[in-house]
């Protein structure tokens, strides 16, 4: 099972860190247990540097998360990406979904408790 | 890390060719001569692909895949069914339990390797 | 493990399938078949083709493919099984057999084999399905107009539109594999992952594929190769591949057909570089001009039937196949016969050593040791028997072959002949079974040629029109008997006698028993048929048959009633490797007489020696006999007359029987029963009559194994020539 750490910050920011493997074997339970009930504030910060393995089911879950944030009109920032995600995006030319939002990285990470 | 493939076929020559081809391409291969043996040989090992004949003594490919797919560890393991004669009915039966990839014998070793590369 | 080893396995498998095909063809010929039978023969052809394909044995694949096609049509009842077809299929089966024995290179050099294959296919054409998948692709290329070339990006750019099956991920097929594979074929210029089809969060299923893809691929690969990428998903997926020559209208039609919003797709296609604003505009202008062509090319762009790639075969009865498989699943393993022979040789050595220990133990007089050795002997015997059993095969395999011989020969002779097989399950040493083929073939051909009469003749003497030929095997007194019988005209003893006199084999005055007369047909050069047909005139005579059988320690017996039919009985030992022997001595030399041939041992001196003949009177019966030391010139004085030297107190006579023939063998000393491991003699002993092999005794001495059938024959002949001379 992939690990997920959700930090609800006071500045209306939800910080989500996902690490481990996110593949079809874990996707469904991960989605129902963590993504579906997730409360997203105005800002969603995604930290994906430790996502060691990802497949299409995993990427779809992540996109579902982005879709959810979008529906809630939250703004999305991707803080970090693992090699696994970068490789996937390289193959499918999905950079427009998953690119590290550089300008905000520092300030956001600075607010980490 | 090399990927592991389970090959289940009662024809020794087919098994040998598949094994030689796959090992040559750097895969680990587990061999079994029928469905029952196939299930026994899995034994929790991480397998990236299952290649299985349909018509086999003791336990055929369809029944084997049906059982394997019940195991959480192999729920999403891709399966290539090898067959000399694939009736539509049999294929449907196979597909219903998740054996979507069918390869009709005869195939050349390169074709097999290509197919394996497509699914691993 | 190497491919060569796998190839060996293929040859063994092919052989089995060819045998099974022949077996089924015979059933077809007799009209005894059902759906399962047809399925079986189809599967055999298919498996041969399948495995041959793996080894790139194209010459086998090419021919067998057509046969498979015909058999497929037969099992689908699209064509009827008629004699003409069955005859042709027999020939085709034989041709496949010839192909299997031929390497690809040999085949390329073998014009006659190529021609005979082509010839068979021509003859087969009325039954061949015309609807073989034609080259849709070529047609597509022909029909496609070369207009709108300017629409294309500079290179050969294909457009691939993927709406993969939503179950794709569940089935372990991740688009990663396909896209990775495609990128190996060339360069993916653009791939657009369309996420339009994502459901709302409450309807989301994490194991369903929602992505759709539009791909622009620059490659030199052909359509088939690109299509191949999706061979495992195409059935449940919508995949459209547009060739570099596709027209704008093809694209527009595709956009119309796809579920997503058209404007959105147009944008995606432009992103892919597959369409440009310019060409889109031009397309509208040309629309009317190309309308007619459009519909045509659109049709061609749809990937040619997946069926061409993934063979679709119709209803086959799963249940039936299952039961066939279960029948075959008797946990068999395949062993290299050399290994088996080696094991049996080793057990032979074990037996000899056991006898050596036995000998040593008996001199020690240690009761415990003797008991242990006794047990050891028991186990050794069991091991011997178990090992020999391993090499036993059912004789049915070879009998099966004759169905074909009979069928073909009957046709050739224009006779009606029915073959009955009995005791196919009788087991015999594999080595013997292999050597039985030729003699059996000859006897059977003879029976059909000379024994069984043509239909008119049979009817005129009140017999049923179909000649009856029977091939039977059974056990009899430690031997296996193979009997070939027919209900034909029988052997005319008078004809034989006349012929034998004519050929100076016997003198006109000689009185011979029926049995002796029958045996004359085994005389070299003797032929009863006044006209030599091309069947029995094939060079080998019955003398060769006899020699073959004798080389297997066997004998032939003939029974015949004029007008009613004949029977040839071949009597064979169960095995050639280890026999129960009887140890005797003559002069200083040891001999072994196979136990199964011995009827009794008597004291020679106490029986009457018949005057003028090499015979004794045993309870009123004339028994010809031989003296071993005389036959093999053991004392260097072959003409020495009996009774023998005084130093040997008495002469023993071992009475042996083989088939109907009885003879006595005179020796100096009897030792008793002994397990005998048969070692073949070298080729230099081939001309030595009367010795079948050698063996080592427990004390290291060599003993010769007597060839009883040959010795009996010698004894009879000697007696015969005595009578000849006397007359």
């Amino acid at each position: 099972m992939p690990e997920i750490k959700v930090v609800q910050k006071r500045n209306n920011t939800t910080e989500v860190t996902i690490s481990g493997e996110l593949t079809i074997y874990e996707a469904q339970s991960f989605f129902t247990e963590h993504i579906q009930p997730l409360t997203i504030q105005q800002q969603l910060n995604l930290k994906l540097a430790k996502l060691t393995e990802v497949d299409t089911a995993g990427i779809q879950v992540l996109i579902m998360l982005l879709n959810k944030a979008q529906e809630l009109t939250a703004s999305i920032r991707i803080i970090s990406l693992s090699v696994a995600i970068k490789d996937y995006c390289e193959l499918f030319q999905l950079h427009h979904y998953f690119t590290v939002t550089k300008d905000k990285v520092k300030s956001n990470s600075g607010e980490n408790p | 890390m090399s990927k592991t493939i389970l090959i289940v076929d009662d024809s020794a020559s087919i098994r040998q060719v598949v094994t030689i081809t796959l090992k040559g391409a750097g895969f680990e291969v587990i061999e079994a001569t029928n469905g029952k043996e196939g299930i026994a040989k899995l034994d929790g090992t991480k397998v990236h692909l299952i290649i299985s004949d349909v018509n086999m003594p003791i336990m055929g490919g369809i029944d084997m895949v049906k059982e394997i797919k019940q195991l959480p560890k192999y729920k999403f393991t891709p399966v290539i069914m090898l067959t000399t004669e694939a009736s539509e009915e049999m294929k449907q039966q196979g597909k219903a339990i998740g054996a979507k990839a069918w390869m009709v014998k005869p195939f050349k070793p390169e074709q097999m390797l290509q197919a394996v590369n497509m699914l691993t | 493990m190497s491919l060569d080893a796998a190839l060996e396995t293929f040859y063994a498998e092919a052989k089995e399938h060819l045998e099974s095909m022949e077996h089924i063809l015979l059933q077809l010929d007799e009209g005894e078949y059902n759906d399962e039978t047809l399925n079986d023969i189809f599967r055999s052809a298919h498996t041969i083709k399948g495995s041959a394909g793996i080894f790139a044995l194209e010459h086998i694949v090419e021919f067998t493919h057509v046969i498979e096609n015909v058999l497929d049509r037969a099992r689908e009842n699209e064509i009827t099984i008629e004699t003409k077809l069955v005859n042709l299929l027999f020939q085709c089966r034989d041709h496949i057999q010839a192909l299997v024995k031929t390497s690809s290179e040999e085949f390329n050099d073998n014009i006659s084999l190529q021609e005979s294959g082509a010839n068979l296919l021509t003859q087969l054409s009325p039954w061949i399905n015309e609807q073989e998948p034609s080259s849709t692709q070529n047609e597509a290329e022909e029909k496609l107009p070369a207009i709108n070339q300017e629409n294309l990006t500079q290179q050969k750019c294909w457009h691939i539109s993927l709406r993969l099956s939503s179950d794709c991920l569940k089935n372990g097929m991740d688009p990663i594999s396909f896209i990775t594979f495609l990128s190996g074929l060339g360069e993916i210029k653009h791939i657009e992952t369309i996420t339009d089809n994502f459901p709302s969060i409450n309807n989301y299923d994490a194991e369903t594929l929602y992505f759709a893809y539009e791909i622009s691929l620059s490659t030199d690969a052909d359509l088939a190769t690109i299509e191949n990428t999706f061979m495992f998903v195409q059935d449940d997926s919508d995949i459209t591949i547009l060739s570099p020559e596709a027209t704008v209208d093809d694209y527009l039609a595709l956009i119309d057909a796809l579920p997503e919003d058209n404007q959105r797709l147009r944008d995606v296609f432009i992103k892919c570089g597959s369409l440009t604003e310019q060409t889109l505009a031009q397309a509208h202008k040309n629309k009317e001009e190309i309308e007619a062509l459009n519909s045509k090319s659109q049709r061609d762009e749809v990937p040619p039937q997946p069926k061409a790639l993934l063979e679709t075969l119709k209803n086959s009865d799963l249940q039936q196949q299952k039961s066939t498989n279960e029948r075959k699943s008797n946990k068999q393993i395949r062993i290299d016969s050399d290994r088996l022979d080696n094991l049996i040789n080793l057990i032979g050595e074990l037996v000899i050593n056991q006898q050596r220990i036995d000998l040593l133990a008996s001199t020690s007089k240690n009761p415990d040791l003797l008991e242990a050795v006794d047990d050891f002997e028991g186990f050794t015997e069991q091991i011997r028997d178990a090992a020999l059993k391993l090499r036993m095969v059912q004789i049915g395999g070879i009998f099966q072959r004759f169905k074909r011989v009979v069928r073909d020969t009957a046709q050739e002779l224009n006779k009606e002949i029915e073959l009955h097989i009995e005791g196919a399950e009788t087991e015999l040493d594999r080595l013997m079974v292999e050597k039985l083929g030729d003699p059996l073939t000859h006897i059977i051909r003879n029976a059909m040629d000379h024994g069984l009469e043509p239909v008119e003749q049979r009817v005129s003497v009140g017999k049923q029109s179909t000649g009856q030929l029977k091939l039977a095997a059974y056990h009899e007194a430690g031997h296996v008997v193979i009997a070939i019988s027919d209900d034909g005209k029988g052997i005319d003893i008078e004809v034989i006698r006349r012929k034998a006199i004519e050929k100076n084999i016997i003198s006109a005055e000689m009185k011979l028993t029926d049995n002796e007369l029958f045996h004359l047909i085994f005389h070299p050069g003797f032929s009863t048929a006044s006209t030599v047909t091309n069947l029995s005139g094939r060079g080998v005579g019955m003398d060769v048959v006899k020699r073959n059988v004798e080389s297997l320690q066997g004998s032939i017996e003939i029974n015949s009633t004029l007008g009613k039919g004949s029977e040839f009985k071949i009597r064979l030992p169960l095995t050639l490797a280890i026999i129960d022997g009887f140890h005797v001595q003559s002069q200083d030399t040891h001999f072994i007489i196979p136990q199964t041939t011995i009827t009794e041992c008597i004291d020679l001196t106490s029986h009457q020696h018949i005057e003028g003949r090499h015979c004794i009177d045993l309870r009123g019966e004339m028994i010809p006999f031989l003296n071993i030391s005389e036959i093999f010139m053991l004392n260097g004085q072959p003409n020495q007359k009996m009774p023998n030297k005084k130093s040997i107190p008495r002469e023993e006579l071992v009475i042996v029987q083989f088939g109907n023939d009885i003879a006595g063998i005179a020796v100096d000393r009897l030792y008793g029963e002994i397990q005998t491991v048969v070692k073949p003699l070298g080729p230099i002993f081939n001309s030595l009559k009367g010795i079948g092999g050698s063996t080592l005794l427990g004390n290291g001495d060599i003993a010769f194994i007597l060839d009883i059938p040959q010795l009996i024959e010698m004894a009879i002949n000697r007696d015969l020539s005595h009578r000849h001379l006397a007359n």
Side-chain angles (χ1 to χ4, degrees):
Chain A
M1 228 9 214
E3 277 180 36
I4 180 166
K5 198 167 89 186
V6 180
V7 183
Q8 302 291 356
K9 297 185 178 180
R10 264 185 242 131
N11 59 349
N12 292 330
T13 302
T14 303
E15 189 184 83
V16 175
T17 310
I18 305 172
S19 51
E21 293 178 10
L22 181 54
T23 67
I24 181 138
Y25 287 95
E26 303 91 14
Q28 185 61 42
S29 55
F30 180 76
F31 172 76
T32 46
E33 286 167 32
H34 301 290
I35 304 302
Q36 211 166 8
L38 182 68
T39 313
I40 301 173
Q41 302 186 58
Q42 283 170 17
Q43 174 77 36
L44 172 68
N45 288 356
L46 264 180
K47 296 170 97 174
L48 303 173
K50 287 181 181 164
L51 204 48
T52 51
E53 197 185 330
V54 72
D55 64 2
T56 299
I59 290 288
Q60 284 195 149
V61 169
L62 294 178
I63 286 180
M64 200 62 219
L65 171 61
L66 300 178
N67 282 355
K68 177 174 173 164
Q70 233 160 21
E71 263 173 47
L72 299 167
T73 65
S75 54
I76 301 159
R77 277 173 202 145
I78 295 182
I79 313 290
S80 59
L81 288 174
S82 68
V83 178
I85 299 188
K86 282 179 186 164
D87 285 350
Y88 191 96
C89 293
E90 189 65 37
L91 186 63
F92 285 93
Q93 303 177 5
L94 276 175
H95 305 290
H96 54 288
Y97 273 103
F98 300 97
T99 304
V100 175
T101 343
K102 276 172 184 163
D103 50 340
K104 298 278 182 178
V105 172
K106 265 181 189 167
S107 61
N108 280 331
S109 58
E111 285 167 27
N112 273 348
Chain B
M1 195 191 73
S2 56
K3 294 184 172 176
T4 306
I5 295 173
L6 172 71
I7 163 78
V8 190
D9 198 312
D10 58 332
S11 158
S13 71
I14 301 258
R15 230 169 38 236
Q16 281 177 18
V17 170
V18 171
T19 304
I20 293 164
T21 311
L22 294 180
K23 282 196 171 162
F27 290 97
E28 293 283 328
V29 182
I30 302 172
E31 285 185 50
T33 58
N34 63 62
K36 208 149 208 121
E37 201 185 318
I39 294 169
K41 288 215 170 162
L42 275 181
D43 194 33
T45 315
K46 171 137 181 137
V47 167
H48 296 79
L49 175 69
I50 296 166
I51 301 172
S52 174
D53 189 17
V54 178
N55 279 329
M56 285 181 292
I58 301 168
M59 185 192 267
I62 305 263
D63 287 342
M64 176 191 75
V65 171
K66 205 187 276 175
E67 272 194 36
I68 289 179
K69 290 274 174 180
Q70 304 294 315
L71 308 167
K73 185 145 194 171
Y74 306 105
K75 197 174 163 195
F76 303 112
T77 306
V79 179
I80 298 179
M81 301 300 296
L82 304 180
T83 174
T84 44
E85 48 158 338
S87 76
E88 206 42 49
E89 193 188 336
M90 193 197 294
K91 243 170 149 174
Q92 291 313 327
Q93 205 187 340
K95 288 189 172 181
I97 52 139
K100 297 279 173 166
W102 289 70
M103 258 187 101
V104 176
K105 302 178 197 171
F107 49 80
K108 298 192 181 107
E110 312 88 74
Q111 288 175 316
M112 163 58 69
L113 193 57
Q114 195 182 354
V116 167
N117 282 329
M118 275 172 207
L119 295 180
T120 53
Chain C
M1 189 167 62
S2 69
L3 269 177
D4 284 349
L7 197 56
E8 280 304 309
T9 316
F10 162 72
Y11 287 130
E13 275 175 0
K15 199 174 156 224
E16 278 173 18
H17 282 295
L18 284 165
E19 275 167 17
S20 140
M21 282 178 80
E22 174 151 273
H23 179 66
I24 293 170
L25 282 172
L26 288 161
Q27 291 180 337
L28 297 187
D29 195 44
E30 286 158 14
E32 292 168 9
Y33 62 95
N34 53 31
D35 288 353
E36 194 188 347
T37 323
L38 292 171
N39 250 331
D40 283 346
I41 189 168
F42 167 81
R43 193 160 44 231
S44 281
H46 201 111
T47 306
I48 292 174
K49 185 191 88 173
S51 307
I54 287 165
F55 293 100
L57 300 167
E58 291 304 333
H59 61 295
I60 301 175
V61 176
E62 224 171 273
F63 184 82
T64 313
H65 175 73
V66 182
I67 310 310
E68 176 204 348
N69 171 282
V70 171
L71 293 172
D72 188 26
R73 297 194 71 201
R75 69 180 186 146
E76 295 299 339
N77 294 321
E78 287 171 27
I79 52 174
T80 42
I81 307 290
E82 44 188 318
T83 318
K84 232 168 109 187
L85 176 60
V86 174
N87 284 343
L88 206 47
L89 285 174
F90 268 117
Q91 292 176 44
C92 290
R93 188 217 80 103
D94 293 353
H95 188 72
I96 295 172
Q97 191 167 29
L99 291 174
V100 169
K101 285 180 182 158
T102 313
S103 72
S104 295
E105 296 80 47
E106 284 166 0
F107 177 77
N108 288 336
D109 295 338
N110 192 337
I111 306 292
S112 76
L113 194 61
Q114 292 174 24
E115 279 173 353
S116 61
N119 184 23
L120 283 172
L121 293 186
T122 316
Q123 291 184 60
L124 211 51
S125 55
W127 295 279
I128 294 173
N129 191 352
E130 301 295 332
Q131 293 166 314
E132 283 285 272
S134 60
S135 49
T136 324
Q137 204 190 328
N138 287 346
E139 285 170 22
E141 275 167 14
E142 268 171 31
K143 284 178 196 163
L144 270 174
I147 56 161
N148 296 330
Q149 284 292 341
E150 67 271 28
N151 294 351
L152 311 170
T153 44
Q154 56 278 47
Q155 278 163 290
K156 282 194 99 185
C157 233
W158 299 72
H159 185 93
I160 302 161
S161 176
L162 292 183
R163 301 293 178 273
L164 297 175
S165 147
S166 57
D167 283 341
C168 197
L169 301 178
K170 281 191 195 114
N171 296 319
M173 290 183 250
D174 195 296
I176 297 172
S177 327
F178 307 129
I179 304 305
T180 308
F181 194 83
L182 278 184
S183 61
L185 293 178
E187 189 193 345
I188 294 180
K189 288 284 185 193
H190 186 86
I191 173 166
E192 185 76 17
T193 303
I194 297 170
T195 54
D196 295 17
N197 307 321
F198 267 63
S200 70
I201 192 152
N202 291 327
N203 294 322
Y204 180 76
D205 173 68
E207 289 164 7
T208 298
L209 179 72
Y210 296 108
F211 286 151
Y213 305 95
E214 294 297 330
I215 304 154
S216 162
L217 174 72
S218 164
T219 176
D220 289 330
D222 59 7
L223 177 65
T225 312
I226 298 172
E227 254 179 5
N228 230 0
T229 313
F230 308 104
M231 62 193 279
F232 294 138
V233 278
Q234 58 190 353
D235 283 13
D236 311 306
S237 306
D238 287 322
I239 300 162
T240 310
I241 302 171
L242 294 184
S243 78
E245 290 84 17
T247 65
V248 181
D249 289 270
D250 297 333
Y251 279 102
L252 293 177
L254 173 60
I255 286 170
D256 275 340
L258 291 173
E260 292 85 5
D261 175 67
N262 283 9
Q263 187 52 51
R264 161 109 170 91
L265 285 170
R266 240 173 242 148
D267 292 347
V268 168
F269 277 48
I270 290 168
K271 260 203 219 164
C272 286
S274 304
L275 288 177
T276 62
E277 297 284 3
Q278 211 185 339
T279 51
L280 270 172
Q282 201 193 346
H284 286 293
K285 225 162 70 189
N286 293 349
K287 199 170 182 177
E288 280 138 41
E289 293 169 42
I290 56 175
E291 206 160 39
L293 293 161
N294 172 25
S295 60
K296 219 189 231 175
S297 46
Q298 161 66 18
R299 197 180 56 223
D300 291 336
E301 293 310 329
V302 176
Q305 310 83 337
K307 289 182 176 68
L309 288 168
L310 293 178
E311 202 162 325
T312 54
L313 299 161
K314 282 153 259 166
N315 308 328
S316 72
D317 196 338
L318 251 176
Q319 215 49 46
Q320 277 185 3
Q321 283 170 10
K322 218 170 153 187
S323 67
T324 321
N325 280 337
E326 275 162 8
R327 242 181 286 137
K328 283 183 188 163
S329 70
N330 276 334
K331 290 205 174 162
Q332 296 194 336
I333 54 164
R334 205 185 289 274
I335 304 177
D336 191 337
S337 60
D338 289 349
R339 286 195 200 179
L340 204 54
D341 293 348
N342 189 32
L343 174 70
I344 286 169
N345 277 338
L346 285 172
I347 287 169
E349 301 296 336
L350 180 69
V351 169
I352 291 169
N353 272 282
Q354 177 264 315
Q355 285 163 0
R356 206 166 90 200
I357 291 167
D358 204 15
L359 209 68
L360 291 172
S362 63
T363 54
S364 80
K365 302 227 166 34
N366 177 336
D368 288 346
L369 178 61
L370 282 170
E371 200 189 321
V373 168
D374 209 33
D375 286 350
F376 179 40
E377 187 178 349
F379 286 120
T380 310
E381 253 173 61
Q382 286 180 37
I383 290 178
R384 178 198 73 167
D385 292 345
L388 288 177
K389 247 206 172 110
L390 289 178
R391 212 167 56 177
M392 300 292 250
V393 295
Q394 293 195 349
I395 205 160
I398 191 169
F399 277 8
Q400 209 57 47
R401 233 163 73 189
F402 289 111
K403 283 192 173 177
R404 177 72 186 277
V405 172
V406 168
R407 179 188 176 278
D408 288 356
T409 312
Q411 268 186 356
E412 216 171 308
L413 294 169
N414 207 11
K415 289 180 182 175
E416 282 179 26
I417 298 169
E418 214 169 80
L419 178 68
H420 303 272
I421 287 177
E422 274 175 25
E425 69 291 337
T426 310
E427 289 190 330
L428 199 60
D429 193 313
R430 182 183 57 82
L431 293 180
M432 301 179 79
V433 171
E434 280 169 8
K435 287 178 185 157
L436 266 176
D438 286 347
L440 280 181
T441 310
H442 198 84
I443 295 174
I444 287 170
R445 278 180 189 275
N446 246 335
M448 289 191 289
D449 200 7
H450 305 312
L452 292 165
E453 316 89 330
V455 178
E456 316 80 59
Q457 208 177 318
R458 288 182 66 87
V459 174
S460 73
V461 295
K463 289 184 184 176
Q464 63 180 111
S465 63
T466 310
Q468 305 294 309
L469 190 61
K470 194 168 93 180
L471 204 49
Y474 51 90
H475 286 276
E476 194 184 272
H479 283 83
V480 170
V481 176
I482 300 169
I484 305 105
S485 53
D486 64 64
D487 69 341
K489 55 179 178 257
I491 299 172
D492 190 336
I493 292 174
E494 286 316 307
V495 173
I496 293 181
R497 188 199 300 278
R498 228 181 300 134
K499 207 124 205 165
I501 295 168
E502 214 173 274
K503 302 215 166 182
N504 225 0
I505 297 167
I506 54 169
S507 64
E509 299 79 21
M510 271 175 77
K511 290 214 158 35
L512 294 175
T513 64
D514 287 359
N515 194 27
E516 285 165 333
L517 282 166
F518 285 144
H519 269 268
L520 287 174
I521 67 169
F522 294 122
H523 201 283
F526 188 95
S527 169
T528 48
S530 30
T531 54
V532 177
T533 68
N534 68 335
L535 279 179
S536 16
R538 279 179 190 172
V540 272
M542 290 299 275
D543 57 320
V544 177
V545 170
K546 190 174 187 206
R547 221 180 307 138
N548 280 340
V549 171
E550 282 174 353
S551 75
L552 297 172
Q553 313 290 321
S555 71
I556 304 187
E557 178 187 322
I558 304 171
N559 297 306
S560 185
T561 313
L562 198 56
K564 291 266 173 63
S566 314
E567 181 184 49
F568 285 75
K569 268 189 184 174
I570 299 178
R571 200 178 297 268
L572 297 160
L574 288 170
T575 176
L576 298 174
I578 301 173
I579 57 172
D580 286 319
F582 192 78
H583 181 188
V584 299
Q585 190 178 355
S586 181
Q587 305 287 359
D588 293 329
T589 312
H590 297 276
F591 294 95
I592 302 290
I593 300 171
Q595 185 80 50
T596 49
T597 61
I598 299 177
T599 55
E600 62 184 309
C601 296
I602 57 168
D603 181 4
L604 180 59
T605 47
S606 65
H607 286 82
Q608 171 117 48
H609 194 153
I610 311 286
E611 199 59 42
R613 288 178 67 177
H614 223 276
C615 265
I616 58 149
D617 181 348
L618 177 62
R619 294 184 289 269
E621 210 177 325
M622 300 297 130
I623 308 283
F625 74 92
L626 294 170
N627 193 308
I628 284 293
S629 63
E630 205 177 313
I631 292 290
F632 299 116
M633 294 179 255
L634 294 178
N635 50 11
Q637 296 166 289
N639 295 322
Q640 188 188 0
K641 285 279 168 197
M642 285 176 297
N644 236 314
K645 289 186 214 163
K646 291 216 167 73
S647 59
I648 292 148
R650 55 185 188 138
E651 283 215 48
E652 305 282 355
L653 192 68
V654 182
I655 306 296
V656 290
Q657 176 170 15
F658 208 80
N660 288 341
D661 302 320
I662 297 175
I665 291 170
V667 296
D668 298 340
R669 239 176 129 172
L670 306 176
Y671 286 98
E673 286 178 33
I674 183 172
Q675 276 193 68
T676 310
V677 181
V678 182
K679 304 257 180 200
L681 291 172
I684 53 161
F685 293 103
N686 273 356
S687 57
L688 182 62
K689 278 237 168 191
I691 301 284
S694 67
T695 191
L696 273 178
L697 297 172
N699 62 7
D701 281 352
I702 285 180
F704 294 99
I705 298 162
L706 296 177
D707 185 332
I708 298 304
Q710 269 180 20
L711 287 174
I712 292 177
E713 192 190 345
M714 280 159 86
I716 293 172
N717 285 343
R718 278 165 65 114
D719 181 46
L720 213 63
S721 60
H722 273 246
R723 271 193 279 168
H724 206 167
L725 288 173
N727 286 327

